[in-house]
Amino acid sequence: VFFWMLTSSFKQQVDIYTIPPKWFDFTPTLDNYREALTRTPFARYMTNSLVVATCSSLLGLVIGVPAAYSIARYRQTKLSLSLLTARLLPGVAYLVPFFVAFTALRMVGTYPALILSHVIITFPLTVFIMVNFFAALPQEVYDAAEVDGCGKLETFARIAVPLTRPGMLTAGILAFIFSWNDFKMALILSDGDSRTLPVAVFNFVHEASLDWGPMMAYASIIMLPVFVLTLAAQRHIVTGMTMGSVK
């Protein structure tokens, strides 16, 4: 699918509809990318996606890491079950409450509305990744901190957090990717100025036709930052997930 999308982004419209598809026997063109970047305010949509994904990931870490520590350290199974239940609910279940609330607050089409809605994605993800890291820390570490006079908050900030930085990096990267790719929340809660890149793909959907070439070019551009980020942080992600699963 990815290869078809990438090759289609360099094809003319007639070559895309060819059956069987032409995988290599076609004349490449950059017209699709040129049209994708000029028909829409790409720079604005890219900025929107970066701001929303970055802020929602950071906010998910800020509230998710302490929650994960509390669950792992004090065996709060009820809180863990509540978060799991909330995470299992389909994202569309939150759309109507969010839309009603943000409409009443006149926040639809703003960064805060999109960021807060994406926290529904990033917060549970962060919690369930970080719980394994905090649970893997030996009890002796906490005992040594108490002997040295550390309180609960100091133990968390000075002992637990530094020892679980690989997990925080892993959670942050995965949260960013999930937020970057989100479509439903951004479709309902954004407007013309605050659209993110996945929603902007709709600009190439018409009533009676689809501009497959520019659409595939746009989709390839959307995937590029995530692809580069994943390759750059692949070692950290694998290390982090492995460390969090072995006690």
Side-chain angles (χ1 to χ4, degrees):
V1 175
F2 175 77
F3 182 74
W4 177 82
M5 178 190 70
L6 185 61
T7 55
S8 296
S9 68
F10 292 100
K11 294 179 181 179
Q12 297 180 4
Q13 194 82 347
V14 64
D15 293 327
I16 296 176
Y17 285 104
T18 300
I19 299 177
K22 295 181 179 180
W23 298 110
F24 301 103
D25 185 20
F26 64 92
T27 303
T29 177
L30 294 177
D31 291 342
N32 294 325
Y33 286 92
R34 189 177 299 109
E35 184 175 355
L37 295 176
T38 56
R39 186 189 296 187
T40 63
F42 177 79
R44 182 195 304 167
Y45 295 154
M46 172 69 80
T47 302
N48 294 340
S49 290
L50 287 174
V51 170
V52 172
T54 301
C55 292
S56 62
S57 301
L58 292 177
L59 186 56
L61 286 174
V62 168
I63 61 179
V65 171
Y69 175 78
S70 178
I71 292 173
R73 182 77 172 87
Y74 302 106
R75 310 297 181 184
Q76 295 179 324
T77 54
K78 292 183 179 180
L79 177 58
S80 177
L81 181 61
S82 299
L83 291 175
L84 178 60
T85 303
R87 184 66 184 91
L88 290 177
L89 289 175
V92 70
Y94 299 100
L95 284 178
V96 174
F98 273 144
F99 182 76
V100 172
F102 290 136
T103 300
L105 296 172
R106 298 182 179 179
M107 293 175 59
V108 173
T110 64
Y111 282 153
L114 291 172
I115 292 169
L116 291 175
S117 66
H118 281 203
V119 171
I120 294 296
I121 303 170
T122 61
F123 171 62
L125 179 65
T126 300
V127 169
F128 287 105
I129 290 177
M130 292 304 300
V131 161
N132 292 327
F133 282 86
F134 289 123
L137 294 179
Q139 180 62 36
E140 290 77 7
V141 173
Y142 299 116
D143 295 338
E146 292 180 2
V147 170
D148 290 339
C150 293
K152 293 181 179 180
L153 291 178
E154 199 172 9
T155 300
F156 167 71
R158 299 183 60 182
I159 305 298
V161 169
L163 291 176
T164 55
R165 284 176 180 170
M168 294 175 62
L169 179 61
T170 301
I173 293 173
L174 293 179
F176 180 91
I177 292 174
F178 275 82
S179 177
W180 177 273
N181 291 329
D182 177 74
F183 175 78
K184 297 185 296 292
M185 297 292 184
L187 176 64
I188 302 300
L189 299 176
S190 65
D191 58 15
D193 293 329
S194 60
R195 285 178 181 172
T196 56
L197 287 175
V199 179
V201 175
F202 259 136
N203 291 322
F204 304 100
V205 178
H206 306 291
E207 184 176 352
S209 64
L210 295 175
D211 291 341
W212 283 109
M215 185 186 296
M216 293 301 101
Y218 219 92
S220 300
I221 295 173
I222 294 173
M223 290 188 62
L224 182 60
V226 174
F227 183 72
V228 173
L229 178 62
T230 303
L231 285 181
Q234 181 179 6
R235 179 173 60 86
H236 298 286
I237 294 175
V238 173
T239 301
M241 297 300 290
T242 304
M243 290 179 62
S245 62
V246 180
K247 187 170 182 179

